[in-house]
Amino acid sequence: KIGSVDTPWQDFFDPDMGHIRYFGDNKIQDPPRDPSSARGNGNLLKQFSLQASEDIVDRKLAAPIICFRAVSVNGKAKGNVQFEGFGLIKKIERISQFDGKAGESFTNYVFDIVVFDMSAENEVFSWDWITARRDASLSVDECLKLAPKSWQEWVRNGEVAVERCRRRISKLMT
């Protein structure tokens, strides 16, 4: 349905170059609602305030944005996802979109996500880090030790480290 009358927007995935563009989860409502009140958008806006902070304490509390893409498996399009990477929200825009099916425009957010490098982990994402973050008996610093090196560097150095932490895969250009 991507790019169709039903869903005229299209999320953009280029994790090999460290970028994902996600159109938020506000949909047409009657009456129209503020897009920040959509649950997913609200959660991402809260994370952005932590991720954009100059305070290391806020960055330690920030949650990674873990990205998946829907894929077809054996001809089934629904219910299957593929891990595309993790990272943080670099930029947010409030936009107007048009839903051709409803014949109406609505307001939403688009989130630009920087996908972080996992080369120090041999391109393997450790879910132990995410599990540890849910364990209330572990401190933030204990959990951070399990994070990928790129995330640890970003937490230490903030915004100046984002481009160093971005995933970039070398490919042949033919």
Side-chain angles (χ1 to χ4, degrees), residues 94-136:
R94 192 173 169 128
I95 60 167
S96 291
Q97 294 178 277
F98 183 76
D99 184 328
K101 189 175 184 180
E104 297 179 47
S105 60
F106 63 99
T107 305
N108 200 3
Y109 287 101
V110 64
F111 300 90
D112 284 306
I113 299 166
V114 174
V115 179
F116 276 17
D117 178 57
M118 293 188 296
S119 60
E121 294 78 27
N122 300 314
E123 298 297 326
V124 175
F125 186 77
S126 173
W127 291 97
D128 292 342
W129 172 40
I130 304 305
T131 300
R133 287 181 59 99
R134 294 190 315 234
D135 186 340

Side-chain angles (χ1 to χ4, degrees), residues 47-171:
Q47 283 306 311
F48 180 70
S49 68
L50 293 171
Q51 294 172 352
S53 177
E54 294 182 19
D55 187 345
I56 191 170
V57 173
D58 287 340
R59 291 193 305 273
K60 284 181 179 182
L61 294 173
I65 306 301
I66 300 175
C67 301
F68 297 88
R69 180 188 337 209
V71 295
S72 286
V73 175
N74 298 327
K76 289 186 144 191
K78 289 200 171 216
N80 301 299
V81 294
Q82 175 178 306
F83 176 74
E84 293 291 325
F86 80 99
L88 57 83
I89 302 164
K90 176 74 172 166
K91 181 176 137 189
I92 300 173
E93 291 178 69
R94 192 173 169 128
I95 60 167
S96 291
Q97 294 178 277
F98 183 76
D99 184 328
K101 189 175 184 180
E104 297 179 47
S105 60
F106 63 99
T107 305
N108 200 3
Y109 287 101
V110 64
F111 300 90
D112 284 306
I113 299 166
V114 174
V115 179
F116 276 17
D117 178 57
M118 293 188 296
S119 60
E121 294 78 27
N122 300 314
E123 298 297 326
V124 175
F125 186 77
S126 173
W127 291 97
D128 292 342
W129 172 40
I130 304 305
T131 300
R133 287 181 59 99
R134 294 190 315 234
D135 186 340
S137 70
L138 297 175
S139 72
V140 172
D141 289 324
E142 288 172 307
C143 295
L144 186 58
K145 289 177 186 174
L146 298 172
K149 298 298 179 212
S150 57
W151 186 264
Q152 292 178 32
E153 180 179 350
W154 168 75
V155 167
R156 275 192 312 275
N157 300 302
E159 175 62 27
V160 298
V162 170
E163 288 307 314
R164 285 193 307 267
C165 295
R166 183 185 293 269
R167 184 172 196 239
R168 288 186 181 84
I169 301 295
S170 298
K171 294 181 180 180

